[in-house]
Amino acid sequence: MNNNQIEYNDNFEFFPLEWDTNYFGVNSAKVILKDIIDEKNQHQILKLCRYFEFVTILNNNNINENNLWITYNTKAFLVDINVQFIKNVKETKDIMEDNIYILNYYPKQNEILEVARSSFKYSRFFNDPYLETEKAKNIYSYWVECSFNREDKYFVTIERDKQIAGFLLFSKDKRNKNATIELIAVCEKFRGQSIGKKLVYALEDYCYNNKLSKILVGTQVNNINAVRFYNSCGFLYKNCNSIYHYWVNR
């Protein structure tokens, strides 16, 4: 398999992960299981895995049959149950403030990086003993840093007292008319002031005005505060996915 090649059929999709490879320094790939994987496709997936050191296996909808063959036929281990939420966009009124901004090509802001460094306590990368602790710890701030000055990445920010009180990072899928929240974080100093909700409502207002009909977001099942937050913002449960890490040669 070519390291830039994508393999897919009706049941699975397999592709290299350039970002993960560069960040962690290990040859990485991802396989998305879209339906029950039969024995023939199981062999094909395991064959593809041999070209990589580290493979993330995403079992869409937490399909039991797939959980079983992963457990019995690989050394992969469960690192996360990811809960997906969806919100239908509606017109919002009187929620925008003068100090809320939505931009792509957002220039690098150390304030935002600092908020990212201090905000995220849940991640599948924290649950993998084979990944460098510092790499896992800093992955979200690096994610944000890589999103600055990009056409396809959008930041929603709120300023209070002349500093960044919180941010939301999202991307758009114009073909499917949706926006996906990638990250959301609030500076510790400003927590408890509904900053997170204001960020979400500002995004919803943007989506309404740009003819995007849905907002998608995912979080870890054990991140109870995030689950409650999305529910309080009007998001509904969509599905959950089990995620495994497979270190091929360990």
Side-chain angles (χ1 to χ4, degrees):
M1 177 184 183
N2 186 305
N3 275 7
N4 294 315
Q5 186 176 343
I6 297 174
E7 299 274 343
Y8 62 91
N9 58 33
D10 290 340
N11 295 320
F12 77 87
E13 183 175 354
F14 193 106
F15 51 91
L17 292 175
E18 182 180 359
W19 192 93
D20 298 59
T21 297
N22 293 334
Y23 181 71
F24 290 113
V26 292
N27 195 13
S28 305
K30 183 174 186 177
V31 56
I32 299 175
L33 311 181
K34 299 182 286 187
D35 204 340
I36 295 174
I37 305 300
D38 62 21
E39 189 171 348
K40 178 181 178 181
N41 280 317
Q42 291 174 28
H43 288 302
Q44 178 64 10
I45 289 169
L46 293 177
K47 183 178 178 181
L48 293 169
C49 286
R50 294 176 194 148
Y51 292 92
F52 298 88
E53 299 172 73
F54 173 46
V55 180
T56 298
I57 305 173
L58 190 152
N59 179 20
N60 264 348
N61 296 309
N62 195 30
I63 297 171
N64 287 333
E65 291 86 345
N66 291 340
N67 287 328
L68 286 173
W69 80 258
I70 292 169
T71 300
Y72 291 134
N73 293 287
T74 76
K75 295 180 181 179
F77 51 92
L78 184 69
V79 289
D80 186 23
I81 299 292
N82 186 269
V83 185
Q84 295 288 313
F85 295 95
I86 188 168
K87 183 175 187 179
N88 293 319
V89 171
K90 298 177 182 179
E91 184 178 11
T92 54
K93 296 181 179 180
D94 301 325
I95 56 88
M96 294 296 286
E97 300 179 8
D98 291 339
N99 55 359
I100 294 181
Y101 306 93
I102 303 178
L103 296 170
N104 61 339
Y105 289 114
Y106 198 87
K108 182 177 178 180
Q109 290 273 3
N110 289 327
E111 270 190 278
I112 289 181
L113 288 173
E114 189 54 42
V115 173
R117 288 189 191 100
S118 60
S119 295
F120 300 105
K121 298 180 180 179
Y122 297 88
S123 169
R124 63 185 170 91
F125 300 104
F126 298 162
N127 299 328
D128 190 327
Y130 301 121
L131 292 173
E132 293 181 34
T133 302
E134 283 302 306
K135 287 283 189 180
K137 180 181 177 181
N138 294 319
I139 190 167
Y140 289 116
S141 59
Y142 184 68
W143 184 343
V144 171
E145 189 167 8
C146 291
S147 300
F148 290 130
N149 296 302
R150 283 181 55 172
E151 181 182 12
D152 61 333
K153 301 290 184 179
Y154 292 76
F155 284 84
V156 185
T157 61
I158 292 181
E159 293 183 6
R160 292 280 172 86
D161 300 334
K162 297 183 179 181
Q163 68 180 95
I164 299 293
F167 76 90
L168 183 155
L169 173 65
F170 73 97
S171 53
K172 298 192 298 186
D173 181 349
K174 293 181 180 179
R175 182 170 63 88
N176 293 311
K177 296 184 178 180
N178 63 48
T180 298
I181 297 175
E182 297 186 14
L183 296 173
I184 182 171
V186 176
C187 177
E188 187 173 3
K189 175 182 175 181
F190 297 100
R191 290 174 190 168
Q193 300 181 27
S194 297
I195 298 295
K197 283 189 176 182
K198 289 179 182 294
L199 290 166
V200 171
Y201 295 148
L203 170 60
E204 185 170 10
D205 184 73
Y206 174 91
C207 289
Y208 181 84
N209 290 320
N210 286 272
K211 303 186 184 307
L212 300 175
S213 60
K214 299 181 186 301
I215 303 174
L216 309 175
V217 68
T219 191
Q220 293 76 21
V221 70
N222 60 337
N223 191 349
I224 302 301
N225 288 335
V227 171
R228 289 174 176 166
F229 170 74
Y230 292 123
N231 283 332
S232 72
C233 290
F235 285 84
L236 299 176
Y237 171 84
K238 182 174 180 282
N239 69 307
C240 69
N241 308 314
S242 47
I243 303 177
Y244 295 81
H245 282 183
Y246 178 30
W247 291 87
V248 179
N249 296 317
R250 290 184 182 270

